[in-house]
Amino acid sequence: MPVSRSTGLLALGGIALAALLTVIGHLEVNDDLNPWALTISDFAVSDRGGVIDVAMVVLALATVALLYGLRRTAPTRPGRAAELLLVAWATGLLLAAVVPTNEPGTAMTTAAYVHRYASVIAFLALPAAGWLLASRSDLAPVARTLRTLVLLSLTLAAAMIWSAYPGDRLLIGLAERLLILTEVAVLATVALTQTRAAVDHGVVAAHQTGIAA
């Protein structure tokens, strides 16, 4: 259980740091950029290698820490499919951070397509992983919360897809930010539950040791 607590805390710390860096990245870019009409990637490309890219890497590493804790937790594991989906989410984030998109209003390049589809894979993989994780016995207390967040994520993903194509990018930045916020909430819910379970287990073990003594 100490491993689960440590990885849970690492994941929570990584999520908080990624959120802070993303906010800073929005404050540092050109004031002419509209967060409701432009995606986070559009902001990141204006500050290539800046804090938003770092935030994506940090969030990917937080996911790795969370996955390691889940794999070490007995008696259940997330299952092969959930593990692969979490890896796909983390890999998609890393690719999106490393491979730049194009400047807003310019023609799509090969790198921009790689960035786009890495992001799409990440956005779809995490909700699927969250749905599978909700079936774990150690996450039963938050199963309903996880499934609610997953359904909300899929709804926002559909809204973003509509905006990107027939919607002429109407409020695509807002849809994306709400989607990311909801998906990060899935990670945070799992990490917080993992940490609390490890703490509760430690308290019970200490109490039983005291009684035995």
Side-chain angles (χ1 to χ4, degrees), residues 2 9 17 23-24 26 46-47 49 53 61 70-71 84 93-94 101 105 114 134 172 176 186 195 206 209:
L9 289 173
L17 178 58
V23 171
I24 293 172
H26 279 69
S46 67
D47 183 29
D53 293 320
L61 294 177
L70 288 169
R71 296 192 69 182
L84 291 175
L93 283 179
L94 290 174
T101 187
V114 171
I172 192 170
E176 185 200 46
V186 172
T195 304
T209 300

Side-chain angles (χ1 to χ4, degrees), residues 31 53 71 106 124 138 170 174 210:
D31 291 337
D53 293 320
R71 296 192 69 182
T106 62
L124 295 179
D138 56 338
L170 177 65
L174 176 61

